[in-house]
């Protein structure tokens, strides 16, 4: 893995997309206060409504005074007047941003207001679990991680996260180049999405064997060495589907009671299960392609596959 020493200091105060009516803040803007409270000048006038100032969001009443210790439009403003968004959402965004570039060490600063530091590690674990569903390709690349949290009694909590990855940034770049070349050959834009899906399914089965040593989990080595376990199959499939313009995700569950991974693919305006691993049986007769686990509904695949149906799209 490349030795990268990057530290991203992120102030975790972002605004929801629903807040759209904003007035630019001029260069002469500054904070002022009196016995009634704080306001923010904008030239010869003052700020009203929502304003983003120095990376933080505030709300100012029509008389110009800053709101604090209250909820406006469903958003809580703390004693400093700063809107504190969901800590879960903010931490998750920063984890994904850094994991996507294989950053081995990154730092997040979050406002401490309303945050129980003793429960923060559980929040982080929960965020990572959710990201493995919504952004499985990026998050499955994390082999392990370590979290350190610090608080000096000020208004912020520091979170240091260190990650080890299965693929380096260089491996991911090489994989991307190779997969794009393959997809261009086997699933060109002249094909329909169902045709592309089948071509990718068949290519993976014809060019991959199940890793009996149970050591190859990442899509890069699955492609290069033509062997991998179910995680390698499903991640490689997702990579190829994505490049072909087909929406997909990796499902974590069990098959015949054993830990297993496969894909959900959005095809013909419906989600369907595709298990390339189980359609590629270990055989003494060379490559054998099956379609027993191709484009199945939830009910069909549940005969021998199990998963948390509450966190994945329905395939009905």
């Amino acid at each position: 893995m490349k030795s990268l020493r990057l530290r991203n200091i992120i102030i975790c105060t972002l605004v929801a997309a629903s807040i759209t009516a904003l007035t630019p803040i001029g260069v002469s803007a500054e904070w002022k206060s009196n016995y009634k409270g704080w306001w923010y000048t904008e030239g010869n006038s003052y700020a009203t409504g929502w304003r983003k100032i120095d990376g933080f969001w505030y709300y100012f009443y029509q008389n110009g005074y800053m709101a604090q210790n209250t909820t406006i439009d469903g958003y809580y403003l703390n004693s400093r007047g700063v809107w504190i968004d969901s800590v879960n959402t903010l931490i998750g965004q920063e984890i994904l941003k850094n994991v996507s570039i294989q950053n081995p060490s990154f730092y997040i600063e979050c406002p401490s207001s309303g945050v129980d530091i003793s429960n923060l590690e559980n929040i982080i674990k929960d965020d990572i679990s959710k990201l493995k569903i919504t952004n499985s390709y990026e998050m499955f690349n994390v082999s392990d991680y370590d979290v350190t949290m610090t608080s000096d009694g000020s208004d912020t909590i520091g979170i240091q996260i260190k990650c080890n990855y299965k693929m380096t940034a260089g491996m991911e770049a090489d994989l991307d180049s190779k997969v794009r070349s393959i997809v261009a050959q086997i699933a060109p834009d002249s094909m329909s999405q169902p045709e592309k899906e089948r071509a990718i399914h068949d290519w993976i089965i014809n060019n991959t064997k199940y890793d009996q040593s149970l050591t190859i989990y990442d899509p890069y080595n699955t492609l290069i060495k033509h062997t991998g376990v179910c995680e390698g199959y499903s991640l490689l499939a997702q990579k190829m589907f994505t490049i072909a313009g087909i929406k997909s995700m990796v499902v974590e569950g069990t098959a015949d009671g054993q830990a297993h991974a496969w894909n959900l693919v959005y095809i013909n305006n419906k989600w369907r299960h595709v298990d390339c691993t189980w359609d590629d049986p270990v055989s003494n007769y060379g490559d054998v392609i099956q379609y027993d686990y191709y484009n199945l509904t939830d009910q069909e695949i549940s005969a021998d596959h199990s998963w948390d149906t509450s966190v994945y799209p329905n395939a009905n």
Side-chain angles (χ1 to χ4, degrees):
M1 184 170 62
K2 289 185 179 179
S3 178
L4 302 176
R5 296 300 175 195
L6 303 178
R7 288 168 62 87
N8 292 336
I9 300 178
I10 302 102
I11 304 299
C12 292
T13 46
L14 307 177
V15 70
S18 60
I19 303 173
T20 56
L22 304 174
T23 302
I25 294 176
V27 294
S28 61
E30 63 177 325
W31 284 102
K32 291 186 177 182
S33 68
N34 61 18
Y35 71 96
K36 290 184 179 181
W38 289 87
W39 70 93
Y40 198 76
T41 63
E42 296 179 340
N44 296 324
S45 185
Y46 50 79
T48 59
W50 287 102
R51 293 292 186 274
K52 187 177 185 181
I53 304 169
D54 296 329
F56 293 84
W57 283 95
Y58 301 84
Y59 184 84
F60 299 90
Y61 296 113
Q62 290 304 306
N63 62 8
Y65 283 105
M66 179 188 74
Q68 58 190 113
N69 293 320
T70 188
T71 299
I72 303 290
D73 297 334
Y75 305 106
Y76 177 71
L77 300 159
N78 66 10
S79 60
R80 295 182 296 143
V82 176
W83 168 46
I84 306 300
D85 193 6
S86 166
V87 173
N88 305 54
T89 302
L90 297 172
I91 292 175
Q93 290 172 346
E94 299 308 326
I95 290 174
L96 178 60
K97 182 171 70 175
N98 284 276
V99 164
S100 297
I101 59 172
Q102 292 86 34
N103 192 349
S105 179
F106 51 96
Y107 186 75
I108 304 170
E109 279 190 354
C110 284
S112 60
S113 177
V115 178
D116 180 5
I117 192 171
S118 64
N119 190 48
L120 196 52
E121 187 169 357
N122 291 329
I123 291 176
I124 294 170
K125 288 180 179 179
D126 184 59
D127 283 341
I128 290 175
S129 296
K130 291 177 181 177
L131 286 170
K132 287 188 76 174
I133 297 168
T134 60
N135 298 85
S136 47
Y137 183 82
E138 292 84 2
M139 296 309 299
F140 271 90
N141 193 35
V142 179
S143 56
D144 59 74
Y145 65 91
D146 179 70
V147 178
T148 303
M149 292 169 289
T150 58
S151 176
D152 58 6
S154 65
D155 293 332
T156 60
I157 296 174
I159 306 171
Q160 182 77 43
I161 300 180
K162 296 181 179 180
C163 297
N164 291 314
Y165 298 96
K166 298 168 187 174
M167 293 190 299
T168 65
M171 292 166 67
E172 164 58 26
D174 191 31
L175 174 66
D176 186 77
S177 176
K178 285 179 168 59
V179 169
R180 288 185 184 278
S181 177
I182 293 168
V183 169
Q185 295 176 38
I186 68 169
D189 290 339
S190 59
M191 282 185 172
S192 66
Q193 286 210 329
E195 289 172 332
K196 290 181 180 181
E197 180 198 17
R198 182 159 182 152
I200 290 169
H201 169 273
D202 292 358
W203 189 93
I204 290 175
I205 292 172
N206 282 330
N207 289 274
T208 315
K209 295 184 182 298
Y210 190 78
D211 175 25
Q212 301 288 347
S213 70
L214 306 179
T215 59
I216 298 177
Y217 288 78
D218 66 275
Y220 177 79
N221 281 294
T222 299
L223 177 70
I224 298 300
K225 299 179 180 179
H226 301 285
T227 184
V229 299
C230 58
E231 187 176 313
Y233 271 76
S234 56
L235 288 169
L236 178 58
Q238 186 185 13
K239 179 71 173 180
M240 296 182 77
F241 287 140
T242 299
I243 289 176
I246 299 172
K247 187 177 181 180
S248 69
M249 62 197 310
V250 175
V251 181
E252 270 193 303
T254 62
D256 279 349
Q258 302 294 316
H260 190 52
W262 64 96
N263 296 96
L264 268 169
V265 180
Y266 193 71
I267 202 78
N268 288 333
N269 299 315
K270 295 179 181 178
W271 285 102
R272 288 293 181 259
H273 294 269
V274 176
D275 191 339
C276 292
T277 310
W278 275 42
D279 273 349
D280 188 14
V282 177
S283 171
N284 294 323
Y285 301 99
D287 291 323
V288 177
I289 299 180
Q290 297 180 347
Y291 299 95
D292 296 343
Y293 295 90
Y294 185 73
N295 285 351
L296 301 187
T297 64
D298 287 346
Q299 183 177 0
E300 289 168 336
I301 201 170
S302 64
D304 43 33
H305 287 53
S306 299
W307 67 102
D308 185 350
T309 57
S310 68
V311 298
Y312 294 99
N314 294 325
N316 298 321

